Amino acid sequence: VLTTLRDARQRVAGLLATADQGRVYRQGVRTAIVGRPNVGKSSLLNALLRESRAIVTPIPGTTRDTLEETLNLQGLPVVLVDTAGITEETEDLIERLGIERSRAALAQADLALLVVDAGRPLDDGDREIAALVQEKPAIVVLNKIDLLATPPGGHSTILDGPCVAVSALTGQGMETLEETIVEAVFSGKVTASEAPMVTSPRHKEALNRALDHVGAARTAHQAGQLVDLVAIDLAAAVNALGEITGQTASEDLVDTIFSNFCLGK
């Protein structure tokens, strides 16, 4: 019995281990493109999308609001969020609101692309923005390398983590950036697999309950409890798994499922 319980626990735990990756494939990786005005954030968005989606001008502060577009990288959905340039205090009300939305977008992001101008030395404005992204995975993007006579240097020290040199104008370095984004999300372990993956929060919650009940049954058996008491937790684990397969779905659960799906004829 203990061997069977151990195997069941390992299989349920194995499914749960895919839940975070499954959430990413289901909802996408929210990726905020941040930086000072006129460093090429909107140009970078256009380059990643391979189309002119954001307005680009030489005038700093062109972007006043966030713009979202979804990109597919090696099967990974990436929700790119172009943001207004973050600066110090400004008297322009619209610009100030745009900066507030940029900060909010960064706070909600799973990943940050910190864009800096490769042709300019880092300043306090760059470092202040870098401080905002310290608590989340981030990639430093050195843009405008097409304007440099020699390779850029020194900018990679602004953040711990990867640093990629690109030209949003010519496309140089964009493939490397895309690969780095995928590696940052899954630590380079994104591979095609035929194994099942948990993508539903409801399934994850049911698996967590099943895992708890299997663990409780194993503990009870090891403690010498009556087999009837062990069976109570096993039945609860089976019921939790049945909510996923549909074998033990209650009427309330069926209503919940049908409320989230549109059925065809």
Side-chain angles (χ1 to χ4, degrees):
V1 173
L2 285 176
T3 299
T4 303
L5 289 174
R6 184 189 66 236
D7 291 345
R9 190 177 189 281
Q10 289 177 345
R11 293 182 68 181
V12 174
L15 281 172
L16 277 170
T18 69
D20 289 339
Q21 183 173 341
R23 178 191 66 83
V24 166
Y25 276 106
R26 180 182 177 90
Q27 301 177 1
V29 182
R30 292 193 65 82
T31 303
I33 304 175
V34 298
R36 299 191 65 195
N38 212 33
V39 293
K41 297 182 297 300
S42 295
S43 295
L44 182 66
L45 174 74
N46 290 340
L48 285 168
L49 294 174
R50 307 293 197 273
E51 64 175 296
S52 181
R53 182 63 183 85
I55 297 175
V56 176
T57 75
I59 304 171
T62 300
T63 302
R64 296 299 186 97
D65 201 353
T66 58
L67 173 66
E68 293 188 14
E69 289 291 339
T70 301
L71 172 69
N72 188 303
L73 292 180
Q74 301 178 25
L76 173 68
V78 178
V79 182
L80 296 171
V81 185
D82 185 23
T83 67
I86 300 176
T87 61
E88 298 177 356
E89 292 298 323
T90 175
E91 299 299 323
D92 188 316
L93 175 60
I94 298 178
E95 186 176 7
R96 188 162 64 246
L97 290 174
I99 293 172
E100 291 176 0
R101 292 194 177 188
S102 297
R103 290 174 178 268
L106 177 58
Q108 297 168 3
D110 301 306
L111 175 70
L113 300 183
L114 174 56
V115 186
V116 296
D117 188 334
R120 295 177 53 187
L122 297 173
D123 57 22
D124 291 340
D126 295 310
R127 295 186 180 90
E128 288 175 6
I129 300 172
L132 296 176
V133 305
Q134 287 284 3
E135 301 303 319
K136 62 178 71 248
I139 300 171
V140 177
V141 182
L142 305 182
N143 192 25
K144 304 185 182 181
I145 60 172
D146 56 292
L147 301 179
L148 302 180
T150 58
H155 296 78
S156 59
T157 60
I158 193 173
L159 277 176
D160 292 332
C163 179
V164 182
V166 306
S167 168
L169 180 63
T170 67
Q172 183 179 352
M174 295 305 299
E175 289 187 6
T176 301
L177 176 58
E178 292 173 354
E179 293 171 359
T180 305
I181 291 173
V182 175
E183 291 174 358
V185 175
F186 291 131
S187 301
K189 297 178 180 178
V190 181
T191 56
S193 173
E194 296 300 323
M197 179 183 295
V198 178
T199 62
S200 165
R202 184 181 68 80
H203 292 178
K204 180 181 178 181
E205 191 273 335
L207 285 168
N208 271 316
R209 281 189 283 116
L211 188 64
D212 290 342
H213 286 302
V214 171
R218 191 163 183 263
T219 300
H221 189 275
Q222 288 176 318
Q225 297 286 346
L226 293 174
V227 68
D228 307 66
L229 298 178
V230 176
I232 291 174
D233 274 307
L234 288 180
V238 170
N239 284 335
L241 295 175
E243 292 178 14
I244 298 174
T245 63
Q247 292 171 297
T248 59
S250 65
E251 185 175 340
D252 289 342
L253 179 57
V254 171
D255 289 340
T256 299
I257 294 172
F258 275 69
S259 69
N260 287 291
F261 291 92
C262 177
L263 301 183
K265 295 181 180 179

